[in-house]
Amino acid sequence: MLPSFFIAHGSPLLAIENNEYTHFINDLGKNLPRPKAIVIFSAHWESPVQQVSEVEQYSTIHDFGGFDPALYTIQYPAKGNHDVSKEIIDLLTANGIPFRMETKRGLDHGSWVVLRLLYPNADIPVIAMSVNPILTPQEQYKIGKSLSVLRDKDILIIASGGTSHNLMALNWADNGEITPWALEFEDWLAHHLHQWDLDSLFHYDSLAPNAQYAVPPHGKEHFIPIFYAMGAADDVQKAKLLHRSFRYGSLTHSVWQFG
């Protein structure tokens, strides 16, 4: 059985950088059993109703501006998989979760930056999924849980976002120092994830120190993918922090394995 993962996608620059974090994700892809397909929830695809892609051939969305021109030439020509999309909609239906099919949307950078680092050849089918920050964490967890059986079928479930993601608070000088409030928030999060303490995690916004800085209202969509990834491993309820580093003082690069 494959675990599920939460993987921070950081800045789009990760797609062309060569650093500790990109090396880690490269190695992770090499060391995991090769999946039959990948289901990925991206913070950059928000929708009030759960969206499930059913795309034969994905385009690559460059949904950012002002970065190195080289980023805009990158393509990640992944294919979809009709059978896996159908299995997902059957599972959502059985669990009473409303959804819509999406047949045209390409892969945003929350998806392709991570996938390209894991599987640079784009030779594994992908099913892209939206996230909904308006839902409660319990509802987001339930959506992930509804798909947990896919892990028994060699389908890799990834949620892409960022646990501390406040663009207004970044130190662009990036002098290597970690912002204290970000570290305090991440330590609280790690403790409760390791305990699988859903009661506390579902109320992170009122319980976690510095939550208002780490997960501001305009950045909530980056934090909540972690609940989809956790839900997908509800049958095991085991969390392991595989990597954590910081960029620009408070932008967290973290990889959590669940299950």
Side-chain angles (χ1 to χ4, degrees):
M1 176 188 295
L2 287 170
S4 61
F5 290 92
F6 174 88
I7 302 178
H9 61 251
S11 161
L13 288 171
L14 285 177
I16 57 174
E17 289 179 330
N18 185 5
N19 56 39
E20 174 192 6
Y21 190 47
T22 61
H23 290 168
F24 179 84
I25 302 178
N26 287 154
D27 289 341
L28 180 64
K30 294 173 184 176
N31 293 325
L32 283 173
R34 183 177 174 84
K36 170 186 172 184
I38 302 167
V39 176
I40 185 162
F41 291 89
S42 171
H44 287 277
W45 187 8
E46 296 179 61
S47 174
V49 176
Q50 181 62 57
Q51 298 267 10
V52 182
S53 65
E54 189 174 25
V55 175
E56 183 175 345
Q57 176 75 62
Y58 287 98
S59 61
T60 304
I61 305 173
H62 301 93
D63 50 336
F64 44 79
F67 287 92
D68 189 317
L71 282 173
Y72 303 92
T73 68
I74 293 175
Q75 300 293 315
Y76 191 79
K79 297 183 182 298
N81 184 300
H82 173 78
D83 291 339
V84 178
S85 292
K86 176 63 166 58
E87 191 162 5
I88 289 171
I89 65 175
D90 287 346
L91 291 170
L92 294 176
T93 300
N95 285 275
I97 297 169
F99 65 89
R100 293 177 184 166
M101 304 305 296
E102 168 55 58
T103 60
K104 297 180 180 179
R105 190 179 190 277
L107 294 175
D108 58 65
H109 82 273
S111 291
W112 65 258
V113 168
V114 169
L115 293 174
R116 187 169 177 267
L117 289 170
L118 285 169
Y119 302 108
N121 295 327
D123 54 355
I124 298 175
V126 174
I127 311 300
M129 305 280 286
S130 66
V131 299
N132 183 358
I134 304 301
L135 295 178
T136 65
Q138 293 92 328
E139 291 170 317
Q140 295 152 357
Y141 188 96
K142 179 182 176 181
I143 292 171
K145 183 178 178 179
S146 72
L147 305 183
S148 62
V149 296
L150 297 177
R151 294 170 40 240
D152 286 322
K153 302 180 179 182
D154 298 326
I155 295 174
L156 181 62
I157 299 176
I158 298 172
S160 168
T163 48
S164 181
H165 188 274
N166 186 342
L167 299 183
M168 302 301 293
L170 298 184
N171 174 14
W172 293 105
D174 202 11
N175 55 12
E177 294 184 4
I178 300 172
T179 305
W181 61 255
L183 182 59
E184 190 176 6
F185 174 81
E186 291 292 337
D187 285 347
W188 181 94
L189 179 63
H191 173 77
H192 292 281
L193 285 172
H194 283 131
Q195 298 297 319
W196 210 271
D197 180 4
L198 295 180
D199 287 341
S200 295
L201 292 166
F202 287 166
H203 297 92
Y204 74 90
D205 52 348
S206 60
L207 296 179
N210 310 308
Q212 72 275 23
Y213 299 115
V215 190
H218 59 271
K220 187 177 178 181
E221 76 287 342
H222 276 74
F223 181 77
I224 56 100
I226 203 163
F227 294 124
Y228 294 84
M230 288 186 75
D234 179 77
D235 53 335
V236 178
Q237 297 194 354
K238 181 179 179 181
K240 183 178 182 181
L241 180 59
L242 301 184
H243 177 94
R244 187 178 76 179
S245 56
F246 293 84
R247 193 79 179 270
Y248 311 118
S250 61
L251 184 67
T252 313
H253 288 164
S254 56
V255 177
W256 280 95
Q257 175 178 305
F258 301 115

